Amino acid sequence: MSDEKETDSAASGPSSAGDSSGVLEGVQEREAFVRTFLRKGMEFTEDLLRENESLRADLDRLRVENGRLRTQVASDEAIRDLLRTVEGLEEERTRLLERSSELEASRRQQVDLYGEIEREMNDLANLYIASHHLHTSLSVSSVVQHLRDMVHQLVGAECFVIYLVDADGLRARPIAQAELDPSTLEPIVLDGHPLGDACLTGLPRIRESNLDAGSLDDPLAIIPLLADGKAVGVVSIISLLEQKGDWAEVDRALFRLLGAQAGTALIAANLYSAVPSPGEALADLGQKLDVSALNNPEGAK
Amino acid sequence: MAEYACLVVEDSAMMRQLLVFALARIKKLKVTEAEDGVDGLRKLAQGQFDLIITDINMPIMDGLKLVKRVRSDEKHKDVPIIIITTEGSTEDRQRAMSLGANAYIAKPIQAPQVIAKVKELLDIR
């Protein structure tokens, strides 16, 4: 405002002084302009400095933020690495579990197979031992005793009768028994009796259910003892030992063995008992084994 | 080389052979056979055994008497005894156990069952 007043008073002076006052006014205007310019420049510079200061502060803040973000990114990368590792380990674990399951299944299979082989071996041993004893006995009583052992100890029969079939095939006479009073046992007329049917057909009759309800007239198992296709004896099983609930597979094999071999073992032992010594039992063997007989096996009979 | 000695006392030759066959599967075991209780006592007097397997029903001396004699014998009083019984549960079995038998096997015997019982009593892996 003071500058403007000076300008106004200068303008109201005489004309000679008017030129100089005009110059003065020009100078004053320039000075005012310069002062204004400088003031504005100073203000602008101050604004720039403030702005610069603010930008520096922002820059520092952004640097800090950037550092934090960099750390976070590194951390995230590490987590991603860990997750990838965990995923890989999970896959490995799954693969190992599958392999473990396969091995376990294989192991169970081997155990089952081993158990099956054990049972097979046990069954074969039973059959071998039974057959061995039947055929190495040279007395009828021994053969009958082995028959008893087979039926009682190997099969597990509690009550049973062993019969011999008469030469005419009409009757069966008891020769051994277990858990029965011998005086109560009588010869059986085979015609019309279950034992007769088995002897006639040569086929064993084995009951598959109600194994706790056998009787002399309706046994649990009837095994005809064959020789040359003809029944020479028969085993009748009335009851089983308490702990034996059902037939085992080896029982059926033992029945087949009994049916096929016990009859001939009885006949062989009976024939052997008629001679005084093993040497005499073979005395006429040479005659039977002449060359013509060897060349014609049918003729040797 | 056998590490254990077992005495099998059984009058039935067939059953004896069956037991011997089963026990032959245990490689560390040497088996001696006896035909009845008296024969069993004779074999016991002649040797040292780690296990006795005996049938109950035998002529001359049955398994029960044998168990009693073994338990009163200083040399073999601690030897484990397995008895072989006919029935699943009978007085004979209970009596044998009360006389000092350690275990029983019911007939008809199965080799795996015999092997398992012997291994258990002798602590064979």
Side-chain angles (χ1 to χ4, degrees):
Chain A
M1 283 296 288
S2 60
D3 291 340
E4 288 172 3
K5 281 179 182 172
E6 285 172 6
T7 306
D8 290 343
S9 62
S12 61
S15 60
S16 57
D19 295 339
S20 60
S21 68
V23 170
L24 183 63
E25 282 176 3
V27 170
Q28 284 175 338
E29 280 177 5
R30 281 196 296 274
E31 282 178 355
F33 174 76
V34 168
R35 276 199 297 274
T36 302
F37 179 80
L38 289 173
R39 184 168 47 80
K40 296 278 184 186
M42 199 168 67
E43 286 173 4
F44 181 68
T45 303
E46 283 172 356
D47 285 347
L48 281 176
L49 285 172
R50 275 196 298 275
E51 183 69 15
N52 187 39
E53 194 64 29
S54 171
L55 286 172
R56 278 180 188 278
D58 284 350
L59 183 62
D60 287 345
R61 191 170 47 75
L62 286 171
R63 277 183 180 150
V64 170
E65 179 73 6
N66 188 36
R68 193 179 62 76
L69 287 171
R70 277 178 186 279
T71 307
Q72 188 174 336
V73 166
S75 173
D76 286 351
E77 188 60 33
I79 287 170
R80 274 193 289 276
D81 283 348
L82 279 174
L83 284 174
R84 275 194 292 274
T85 306
V86 166
E87 196 177 339
L89 288 172
E90 276 291 328
E91 285 172 5
E92 180 72 5
R93 179 174 163 276
T94 305
R95 198 177 59 74
L96 286 172
L97 281 174
E98 284 171 1
R99 181 74 183 133
S100 172
S101 298
E102 284 172 13
L103 288 173
E104 179 61 22
S106 174
R107 191 191 68 80
R108 276 198 298 270
Q109 206 173 0
Q110 294 295 325
V111 168
D112 290 347
L113 185 63
Y114 182 76
E116 200 176 323
I117 291 169
E118 282 278 321
R119 281 191 294 278
E120 285 282 332
M121 278 191 68
N122 184 50
D123 292 354
L124 286 171
N126 285 7
L127 293 170
Y128 165 76
I129 290 166
S131 176
H132 170 80
H133 281 273
L134 271 182
H135 291 294
T136 52
S137 301
L138 294 175
S139 76
V140 174
S141 61
S142 292
V143 172
V144 172
Q145 182 56 45
H146 291 321
L147 266 173
R148 285 173 57 93
D149 283 350
M150 282 174 70
V151 176
H152 179 56
Q153 315 242 33
L154 297 186
V155 173
E158 181 185 41
C159 177
F160 60 90
V161 187
I162 301 171
Y163 297 91
L164 268 190
V165 176
D166 283 355
D168 57 13
L170 297 176
R171 287 171 182 268
R173 298 178 188 281
I175 58 167
Q177 70 289 317
E179 297 294 319
L180 284 170
D181 181 359
S183 64
T184 63
L185 296 173
E186 293 185 347
I188 288 174
V189 177
L190 292 174
D191 188 24
H193 195 276
L195 267 64
D197 294 342
C199 289
L200 189 66
T201 61
L203 299 172
R205 197 190 78 169
I206 302 164
R207 198 193 290 182
E208 299 298 342
S209 57
N210 294 328
L211 296 183
D212 54 351
S215 67
L216 278 171
D217 291 328
D218 188 14
L220 303 183
I222 304 168
I223 302 105
L225 311 179
L226 306 177
D228 202 18
K230 185 185 172 196
V232 296
V234 61
V235 176
S236 174
I237 297 176
I238 315 300
S239 69
L240 301 176
L241 292 174
E242 184 186 332
Q243 65 271 23
K244 187 178 175 74
D246 203 355
W247 304 113
E249 198 51 45
V250 70
D251 296 338
R252 299 174 200 280
L254 277 166
F255 292 157
R256 285 195 293 276
L257 185 145
L258 271 175
Q261 300 185 20
T264 52
L266 275 169
I267 290 170
N270 190 45
L271 290 173
Y272 182 78
S273 67
V275 293
S277 70
E280 289 183 50
L282 295 172
D284 59 347
L285 191 66
Q287 293 168 351
K288 290 177 181 171
L289 288 176
D290 61 14
V291 176
S292 60
L294 284 173
N295 289 334
N296 180 16
E298 288 299 315
K301 280 188 176 178
Chain B
M1 187 69 181
E3 293 177 25
Y4 301 97
C6 173
L7 178 66
V8 172
V9 188
E10 167 66 67
D11 62 310
S12 162
M14 191 182 290
M15 287 302 293
R16 216 165 48 238
Q17 194 176 357
L18 203 62
L19 284 166
V20 170
F21 177 85
L23 295 171
R25 311 273 294 283
I26 306 173
K27 290 186 170 51
K28 296 177 180 175
L29 202 64
K30 181 191 172 194
V31 180
T32 302
E33 299 175 49
E35 294 180 3
D36 53 50
V38 172
D39 191 24
L41 286 179
R42 198 178 300 126
K43 299 278 166 56
L44 282 168
Q46 291 168 350
Q48 184 71 46
F49 293 92
D50 303 294
L51 178 73
I52 298 167
I53 301 176
T54 180
D55 191 6
I56 281 194
N57 300 313
M58 291 185 293
I60 306 176
M61 179 188 280
D62 65 24
L64 294 176
K65 286 179 185 161
L66 178 66
V67 172
K68 200 171 175 182
R69 292 286 292 269
V70 169
R71 286 294 173 250
S72 61
D73 171 29
E74 192 60 33
K75 187 177 165 190
H76 289 104
K77 65 178 183 183
D78 297 323
V79 173
I81 301 175
I82 299 173
I83 55 165
I84 297 171
T85 67
T86 305
E87 301 292 335
S89 57
T90 63
E91 283 182 17
D92 276 353
R93 178 168 61 80
Q94 289 164 359
R95 193 162 161 230
M97 298 299 276
S98 69
L99 286 172
N102 300 75
Y104 74 94
I105 295 171
K107 293 178 185 175
I109 63 165
Q110 299 290 318
Q113 190 187 7
V114 175
I115 292 167
K117 196 68 82 178
V118 169
K119 282 185 170 178
E120 180 191 328
L121 285 175
L122 293 178
D123 198 21
I124 298 174
R125 304 284 172 198

